[in-house]
Amino acid sequence: MQSNPGLFTFLIFMLAPTLGWTQDHLPLANAATAARIRVSDPQETQTYFGDSQPETASDTRYATIDEATGPFVPPEPGTASLDPIVQPLPEYTDLSSSEEARFASPFSTDSSQFDIGLNLYSAPPFAGGLIVFGPNVAMKIGGFVKADFIYDFNPIDSTDSFVTTSIPVDAPPRTNSRFHARQSRLSFDTRWLSDDRVIRIYVEGDFFSEDDQFRLRQAFGEVGSLLVGRTWTTFTDVAAAPATLDFEGSVSNVNRRQAQARWTQMIFHEDLKLALAVEDTRFIIDTPTGITGESRSPSPDFVGHLRLDRERAQLQVASLFRVVGFQPTGQSVITKSAWGLNFTGVYLITETTKVYSQILFGEGIGSYRDLPDAAPTAVDQGGLLPMFGWMIGATHNWNESLSSNFTYAQNDLGTTAFQNPNDVDQTTYLSANLIWSPLERVKVGVEYLYGTRTNVNGAMGDAHRLQASFIFDLP
């Protein structure tokens, strides 16, 4: 690998102002909790069940906006002394824990106790930050701005995320630099009370799309054990996802979001949960030479998982059953039954260190990793492709402001001799990062990425990438 002094000069130029500014402006105490607003009638408040009661003195310590409260109007020139340069403003204080607790509920998509290091998969926790309260309703506005500087030492065709299947084989040497903010995200978590139940809708989007247009990532509703909408597939485990700055993540991690209807229920014990779902289905089918047609979806994907949550460990086994369909031109639909299993685990070694692992295998599930579900097995025939993937990783908090993550993963597709010799057969993925939080809700990180791609004919290519990220979390 050739040295690139220009790259390192650029990185020093990018990070030096941040380091210098932080040393001169580090706060002497913890930053105050972000302002939150409670909207209510000035004469009464709502109880948990929706009936009214007179407002008490304790309520007056919350910031209240109502019709009797007009906007702040500065004094006319000459009517007030200019000695106090800073005019007094309304004081916003923490809402009581009981106010937030009204809208808390054990939703199936909530973050777990394994949030160590960077977490860009889970929804923001419904506590702290910007929460707007109304009568029996509350909304948390979340998101972040994430700017990524990427430098590739070797050829790779995916410039914005590290997709190992896009590593070219036998390509002429080249380098590449890229600066974007496409992973920036905005979310709205709204909850309200109805008949003693907390109902939730969650909508989230980012700009990781063609022409950087805002796109839908998640949109679902939850009430009790039922979830309906688009979110992470039941076949995955967000708690075991790697804490990478790279948008793509490891080659074996199931990072697919799709529309579904899911039922989650505790069984036998409160630590054991069963989830059953009917989900949207998508296929990738490589056809033999000379055969044309289209993939069909005779049925949805049937997915379930069994999760054991303990104080220091979480274990999950997920299963998948689907019917892969293909209709040759002018003929009836041909179907094959496909299946998959996904074993994941997260373990707290110490209060500041977690390790995670995954084993994934099955037949006809390649599209869950953007690989073919079926491919030619003879000159004029096709069949389902087996897949086997695994991953290990660890995340460690060095102190309150410094964390790092290491991930290694490998994915093997059971290709056949009748496939295109340049099709992907195996990929590997390695990432290591260091993330620093110099200020509250501000993160600066550097990550090294390495990946390989091996084709059906045995030819191999590899790629090295260095990525620097700047993240500003929405209060």
Side-chain angles (χ1 to χ4, degrees), residues 33-34 36 61-62 92-96:
T33 303
R36 286 172 287 172
R61 71 184 184 91
Y62 308 140
Y92 295 88
T93 58
D94 279 342
L95 293 170
S96 66

Side-chain angles (χ1 to χ4, degrees), residues 19-185:
L19 296 174
W21 184 92
T22 301
Q23 291 175 354
D24 294 337
H25 295 81
L26 283 176
L28 299 178
N30 292 334
T33 303
R36 286 172 287 172
I37 303 171
R38 180 176 186 271
V39 182
S40 65
D41 188 282
Q43 303 299 325
E44 60 183 19
T45 58
Q46 301 293 326
T47 67
Y48 183 90
F49 299 102
D51 54 327
S52 301
Q53 65 180 16
E55 194 170 71
T56 64
S58 62
D59 295 321
T60 60
R61 71 184 184 91
Y62 308 140
T64 303
I65 293 180
D66 53 54
E67 295 179 357
T69 303
F72 172 73
V73 180
E76 296 182 4
T79 61
S81 171
L82 296 180
D83 187 30
I85 297 176
V86 180
Q87 297 291 335
L89 295 175
E91 181 180 355
Y92 295 88
T93 58
D94 279 342
L95 293 170
S96 66
S97 59
S98 61
E99 188 78 17
E100 288 182 345
R102 299 174 65 204
F103 301 98
S105 184
F107 291 113
S108 62
T109 54
D110 284 345
S111 301
S112 69
Q113 70 270 30
F114 303 102
D115 285 342
I116 294 177
L118 185 69
N119 183 354
L120 299 181
Y121 293 86
S122 302
F126 204 82
L130 184 58
I131 304 181
V132 180
F133 286 85
N136 288 330
V137 66
M139 180 177 68
K140 168 70 180 286
I141 303 174
F144 55 79
V145 170
K146 182 172 182 282
D148 297 313
F149 172 76
I150 296 171
Y151 189 88
D152 293 314
F153 298 87
N154 309 93
I156 184 171
D157 295 330
S158 58
T159 59
D160 293 358
S161 58
F162 199 69
V163 182
T164 54
T165 56
S166 68
I167 299 174
V169 176
D170 297 329
R174 71 174 188 264
T175 61
N176 180 73
S177 62
R178 169 73 167 145
F179 197 21
H180 71 83
R182 304 176 70 197
Q183 199 175 344
S184 299
R185 193 175 300 169

Side-chain angles (χ1 to χ4, degrees), residues 185-325:
R185 193 175 300 169
L186 188 63
S187 64
F188 301 91
D189 190 342
T190 306
R191 307 181 182 191
W192 65 93
L193 302 174
S194 178
D195 296 331
D196 287 346
R197 287 181 176 269
V198 179
I199 304 176
R200 177 197 190 194
I201 59 173
Y202 182 78
V203 180
E204 176 186 88
D206 67 9
F207 300 88
F208 223 98
S209 63
E210 186 176 356
D211 298 327
D212 296 344
Q213 297 186 20
F214 190 71
R215 65 161 188 170
L216 179 68
R217 278 176 55 88
Q218 301 188 69
F220 61 87
E222 278 188 282
V223 54
S225 299
L226 179 65
L227 178 149
V228 180
R230 174 189 169 96
T231 187
W232 299 103
T233 173
T234 313
F235 195 52
T236 193
D237 184 0
V238 173
T244 61
L245 293 170
D246 169 45
F247 180 78
E248 177 67 15
S250 83
V251 294
S252 66
N253 183 50
V254 179
N255 55 4
R256 186 154 144 175
R257 299 176 301 275
Q258 54 194 19
Q260 60 191 273
R262 181 196 305 170
W263 182 266
T264 304
Q265 186 67 47
M266 290 185 297
I267 58 172
F268 306 123
H269 192 271
E270 62 181 7
D271 293 338
L272 192 62
K273 294 180 181 178
L274 174 68
L276 300 173
V278 178
E279 304 189 3
D280 187 32
T281 186
R282 288 168 286 169
F283 303 120
I284 300 176
I285 298 177
D286 289 344
T287 59
T289 303
I291 295 180
T292 60
E294 296 182 4
S295 62
R296 300 298 182 190
S297 303
S299 72
D301 286 358
F302 299 96
V303 191
H305 71 232
L306 188 64
R307 177 182 298 171
L308 177 64
D309 287 310
R310 303 308 297 264
E311 183 178 357
R312 305 189 67 86
Q314 175 181 293
L315 302 175
Q316 176 177 297
V317 54
S319 61
L320 165 71
F321 176 81
R322 62 200 314 217
V323 179
V324 180

